[in-house]
């Protein structure tokens, strides 16, 4: 599945954000971790670098994680609520190496609002295209990471950051081998 040049990175970023608080390890433990996350995912605009900002981003992370537990209709209502609360007003912009794309918050707005609104806009594309079911959980039994399946044939089952697919394949191979020799 291909999305616009600004939707796909926003979806990748929200997966990384939600997963930063999963699997009994919070990788957004301090403002420096948040800065590294923002740099990795190309977030622009205001950065306060404070514990308060980190707390508000972590609260938004928890709210965004809820999208992996709800259906398309409930997601539409939640997207609308986030956009309202963040004061979203769409406008076209281009910056850095990005061509024209939509922003819905000012670069000086609080970071958590910008992350929430940007994610909500990306989720709008999933909802409108009836692709919301591409938000899924890792199929590994010992992993609670989220993912978005952007494959054409909807075949992605495992997250990529914990090697869950490799571990599942090795375990399946060992089971088959054990059954064949047993």
């Amino acid at each position: 599945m291909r999305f616009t040049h600004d939707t796909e990175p926003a979806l990748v970023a929200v997966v990384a954000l939600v997963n930063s608080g999963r699997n009994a390890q919070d990788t957004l433990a301090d403002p420096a971790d948040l800065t590294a996350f923002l740099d990795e995912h190309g977030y622009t605009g205001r950065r306060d670098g404070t514990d308060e900002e980190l707390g508000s981003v972590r609260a938004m992370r928890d709210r965004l994680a809820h999208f992996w537990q709800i259906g398309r209709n409930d997601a539409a209502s939640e997207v609308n609520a986030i956009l309202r609360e963040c004061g979203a007003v769409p406008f076209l912009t281009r910056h850095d190496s990005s061509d024209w794309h939509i922003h819905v918050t000012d670069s000086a707005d609080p970071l958590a609002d910008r992350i929430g609104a940007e994610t909500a806009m990306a989720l709008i594309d999933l909802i409108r295209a009836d692709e919301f079911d591409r938000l899924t959980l890792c199929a590994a039994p010992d992993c609670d990471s989220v993912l978005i399946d952007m494959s054409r044939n909807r075949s992605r089952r495992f997250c990529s950051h914990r090697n869950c697919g490799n571990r599942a394949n090795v375990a399946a191979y060992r089971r088959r081998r054990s059954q064949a020799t047993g």
Side-chain angles (χ1 to χ4, degrees), residues 8 12 18-19 21-22 27 42 63-65 78 87 92 106-107 109 116 122-123 130 136 165-166 182:
E8 195 166 322
V12 169
V18 170
N19 285 337
R22 297 277 174 137
T27 59
R63 186 171 184 186
L64 296 174
E78 183 63 15
L92 284 170
D106 189 86
S107 62
D109 286 344
L123 293 173
D130 197 14
T136 188
N166 288 340

Side-chain angles (χ1 to χ4, degrees), residues 4 18 26 28 34 42 49 52 58 65 68 79 81 87-88 101 110 129 135 138 142-143 164-165 176:
T4 60
V18 170
D26 193 334
L28 283 184
L34 179 57
E52 181 181 72
R58 289 171 78 175
W68 274 263
V79 160
H101 58 282
L135 298 181
C138 182
D142 61 338
C143 181
C164 290
R176 287 191 308 273

Side-chain angles (χ1 to χ4, degrees), residues 64-120:
L64 296 174
H66 185 64
F67 282 101
W68 274 263
Q69 300 167 356
I70 60 178
R72 182 175 176 231
N73 293 337
D74 291 334
S77 294
E78 183 63 15
V79 160
N80 287 336
I82 289 173
L83 291 172
R84 249 187 329 274
E85 291 166 23
C86 295
V89 177
F91 62 94
L92 284 170
T93 186
R94 64 178 165 191
H95 53 84
D96 305 325
S97 62
S98 298
D99 198 2
W100 289 108
H101 58 282
I102 297 173
H103 278 209
V104 293
T105 56
D106 189 86
S107 62
D109 286 344
L111 180 59
D113 287 352
R114 290 184 286 124
I115 289 172
E118 183 174 314
T119 300

Side-chain angles (χ1 to χ4, degrees), residues 26 28-30 53-63:
D26 193 334
L28 283 184
D30 58 43
E53 180 179 65
L54 174 64
S56 64
V57 169
R58 289 171 78 175
M60 181 58 74
R61 172 185 69 187
D62 294 344
R63 186 171 184 186

